[in-house]
Amino acid sequence: MRMSDVLRQLRQQQATAGARPRLLERFEAFLPVSDATPLLSLGEGFTPLVHARSLGRAIGCPQLHLKVEGQNPTGSFKDRGMVLTVARALEDGVRVLICASTGNTAASAAAYGAHAGMEVVVVLPRGQVAAGKLLQAQVAGARVVAVDGGFDAALATVRALIDDPDPRRPLTLVNSVNPLRIEGQKTAAFEVCEDLGGSPDYLAVPVGNAGNITAYWRGFNDYRSSGLVETVPVMLGFQAAGAAPLVDGSPVDEPRTVATAIRIGRPVSGESALRVRDESGGRIEAVTDEQILDAYRDLARYEGIFCEPASAASVAGVRKLAADGAIDPGATIVCVLTGHGLKDPDTARREQAVGTLDAEPTAAGVRQALGW
Ligand code: AN7
């Protein structure tokens, strides 16, 4: 066969398998979109569900699966909600997006805002944002404003701007206070159901503002109401001890955790998270920084999945519950890994660094360095 025919054939196979679907199109029936909504896409969604055989065996849960949300365009689950929020903003003629963020929302808003030709302003807690996330916002051309006082102060600042509008500069808030964010994020639950052929027994997720746990629960319930699945999972949410207002039962004024960049003392959707817990018969618990960092290391070493530290809270939590005998070992468990490990190179360097070996640039030199 001629090379050009080979190419054409490959191209046709790709076309019949369907070019990569667009999230807004694929789940149109379940999303607040219309024919007038621009089908914005940076390739978000359709992330892998990986059966973690080695790690699952190690923690006594052989049916452990990982939803690898770090493979979204900006490296986090935020892209699912952002694509819908920005598409609808584009439809409405919005010019300026604003958010407060611990980093991932900012990176996502900056990218989708740039793609849609909008101005983006992100208000961040000074000195608390992982290096990669800050760079993502900056390279996409967002204007970054740093404030003292942590994420809660940043969100309060943004809300004050929204509540006192300047008619010359209309702003659209793209934090998860915006219900479109939650609507978009629920698509991750749809994909989990499709990959497993039904709902898992347990769904474990890290919890900050509690938007994502709310979104997954809505997604599973949408599929159940439509008759696409018969059951919904038990929902497990995990917060870093020291930044765990939903476990403590009260706001945390100075949330502390060295493991994660998610220091949120007053979760936006806190009450919703408690409802999800109760309706699903689930739990919201704290995991220590040490447990989170152990899971972070083990995910990379056992499974080759480099997630950001906050994401590892889901696996740390499941490991803890399994060790306590609180999870049936035969259960199908999905842990959501919300963001990519490269977002936070400083934590990786601090926790994972093993150093490099020096060698002469020869086969003999490399063998010697390896001790072979
Ligand atoms: C990796 O980007 O709050 O419970 O401003 O970055 O839905 O808040 C991010 C939160 C989990 C918590 N995992 O999700 C932000 C921000 C990662 C995160 C969460 C976040 P929610």
Side-chain angles (χ1 to χ4, degrees):
M1 208 190 300
R2 287 193 333 216
M3 285 313 279
S4 58
D5 292 332
V6 174
L7 277 180
R8 198 168 306 118
Q9 197 173 17
L10 283 170
R11 177 70 193 267
Q12 268 164 8
Q13 279 168 5
Q14 204 177 28
T16 47
R20 186 185 179 85
R22 278 178 293 204
L23 195 78
L24 296 183
E25 210 168 20
R26 173 79 172 73
F27 297 117
E28 190 180 19
F30 294 92
L31 294 174
V33 291
S34 70
D35 291 346
T37 311
L39 289 173
L40 222 57
S41 176
L42 289 174
E44 57 290 325
F46 310 104
T47 56
L49 187 70
V50 174
H51 186 182
R53 289 186 174 78
S54 311
L55 185 58
R57 212 176 302 124
I59 71 176
C61 303
Q63 289 305 317
L64 176 68
H65 294 76
L66 307 170
K67 181 68 171 158
V68 190
E69 289 288 279
Q71 292 201 32
N72 276 293
T74 75
S76 88
F77 70 104
K78 305 283 183 183
D79 294 339
R80 294 177 183 277
M82 201 58 73
V83 71
L84 175 62
T85 306
V86 176
R88 288 283 306 272
L90 195 58
E91 183 180 343
D92 294 344
V94 164
R95 300 297 319 144
V96 190
L97 308 178
I98 189 165
C99 68
S101 179
T102 59
N104 278 330
T105 297
S108 188
Y112 283 88
H115 193 61
M118 294 175 189
E119 191 180 328
V120 179
V121 176
V122 301
V123 181
L124 305 178
R126 189 194 312 282
Q128 293 190 24
V129 175
K133 304 179 186 183
L134 180 57
L135 280 171
Q136 285 181 290
Q138 290 169 326
V139 297
R143 285 202 288 170
V144 177
V145 182
V147 297
D148 290 325
F151 170 83
D152 300 299
L155 183 60
T157 306
V158 168
R159 283 180 143 158
L161 277 162
I162 296 284
D163 290 345
D164 177 24
D166 175 351
R168 290 166 307 157
R169 292 183 195 283
L171 299 171
T172 295
L173 181 64
V174 299
N175 279 102
S176 60
V177 184
N178 184 328
L180 293 170
R181 284 274 315 280
I182 308 296
E183 283 295 302
Q185 280 174 213
K186 76 184 179 185
T187 57
F190 300 163
E191 293 171 19
V192 166
C193 291
E194 289 167 22
D195 285 343
L196 292 173
S199 285
D201 298 315
Y202 293 92
L203 190 287
V205 66
V207 173
N209 274 312
N212 209 26
I213 194 168
T214 303
Y216 269 92
W217 184 238
R218 190 177 300 167
F220 288 120
N221 279 284
D222 279 4
Y223 261 27
R224 185 173 60 175
S225 317
S226 313
L228 291 168
V229 296
E230 286 166 14
T231 61
V232 290
V234 171
M235 301 290 288
L236 306 173
F238 298 101
Q239 304 202 288
L246 296 174
V247 182
D248 302 349
S250 57
V252 176
D253 283 333
E254 286 188 29
R256 283 172 210 282
T257 149
V258 295
T260 86
I262 316 300
R263 299 183 190 86
I264 294 168
R266 297 167 190 275
V268 170
S269 303
E271 281 172 23
S272 161
L274 300 178
R275 264 198 310 277
V276 171
R277 177 194 66 190
D278 297 342
E279 286 175 22
S280 75
R283 300 165 178 248
I284 295 185
E285 297 204 356
V287 278
T288 65
D289 282 343
E290 196 185 350
Q291 289 168 331
I292 292 171
L293 292 170
D294 281 348
Y296 169 69
R297 261 189 305 268
D298 289 345
L299 278 160
R301 304 252 170 106
Y302 280 89
E303 301 296 342
I305 298 179
F306 184 26
C307 65
E308 66 171 284
S311 302
S314 59
V315 171
V318 164
R319 177 186 261 170
K320 184 184 83 162
L321 293 184
D324 293 348
I327 289 185
D328 165 14
T332 299
I333 303 165
V334 172
C335 286
V336 182
L337 301 181
T338 42
H340 201 289
L342 288 172
K343 296 248 181 197
D344 185 357
D346 298 314
T347 302
R349 200 174 290 124
R350 197 177 66 232
E351 300 298 328
Q352 306 261 45
V354 289
T356 51
L357 303 168
D358 287 319
E360 295 298 320
T362 61
V366 173
R367 284 200 187 98
Q368 190 186 12
L370 292 170
W372 285 358

